[in-house]
């Protein structure tokens, strides 16, 4: 077996979570598209739609500027023409940051290590 190239390993490490319906009919979140890295935090930024990457990077930048002052509580971020509610979520196994857009945006942005 040949060793994996670093770029391929990174892409696989940022694999998109497939959308599925879990028992009880509750839909899971839409698949995510990797958008890049937040310059300030170094966290990976993903969005629920490929066309939302520019907005996702704006939301991530705005949230990482204030996250240290939130003490773990949800916080509102106003950017890209919408209000986003951001918070830490428990992942499996690592926690991640998530922002959900309100109003017409209805988007989802995640920041992961």
């Amino acid at each position: 077996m040949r060793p994996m190239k670093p770029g391929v390993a990174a892409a696989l490490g940022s694999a998109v979570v497939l959308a599925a319906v879990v028992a009880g009919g509750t839909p899971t979140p839409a698949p995510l598209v990797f958008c890049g890295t937040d310059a300030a935090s170094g966290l990976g930024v993903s969005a629920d739609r490929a066309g939302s990457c520019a907005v996702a990077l704006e939301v991530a930048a705005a949230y990482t500027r204030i996250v240290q002052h939130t003490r773990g509580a949800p916080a509102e971020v106003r950017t890209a023409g919408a209000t986003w509610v951001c918070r830490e979520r428990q992942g499996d196994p690592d926690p991640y940051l998530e922002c959900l857009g309100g109003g017409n945006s209805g988007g989802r942005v995640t920041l992961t290590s």
Side-chain angles (χ1 to χ4, degrees), residues 35-46 53-69 76-80 84 86 97 99 109-111:
C35 295
T37 304
D38 175 61
S41 66
L43 295 173
V45 178
S46 299
C53 281
V55 170
L57 291 166
E58 283 184 50
V59 171
Y63 186 44
T64 57
R65 282 193 296 271
I66 66 162
V67 70
Q68 64 195 12
H69 304 293
E76 284 190 357
V77 172
R78 290 181 181 87
T79 191
W84 298 75
C86 303
L97 303 175
C99 297
V109 174
T110 62
L111 293 89

Side-chain angles (χ1 to χ4, degrees), residues 75-98:
E76 284 190 357
V77 172
R78 290 181 181 87
T79 191
T83 300
W84 298 75
V85 177
C86 303
R87 64 179 53 95
E88 184 174 322
R89 296 284 194 185
Q90 182 57 50
D92 183 20
D94 298 321
Y96 63 96
L97 303 175
E98 176 183 65

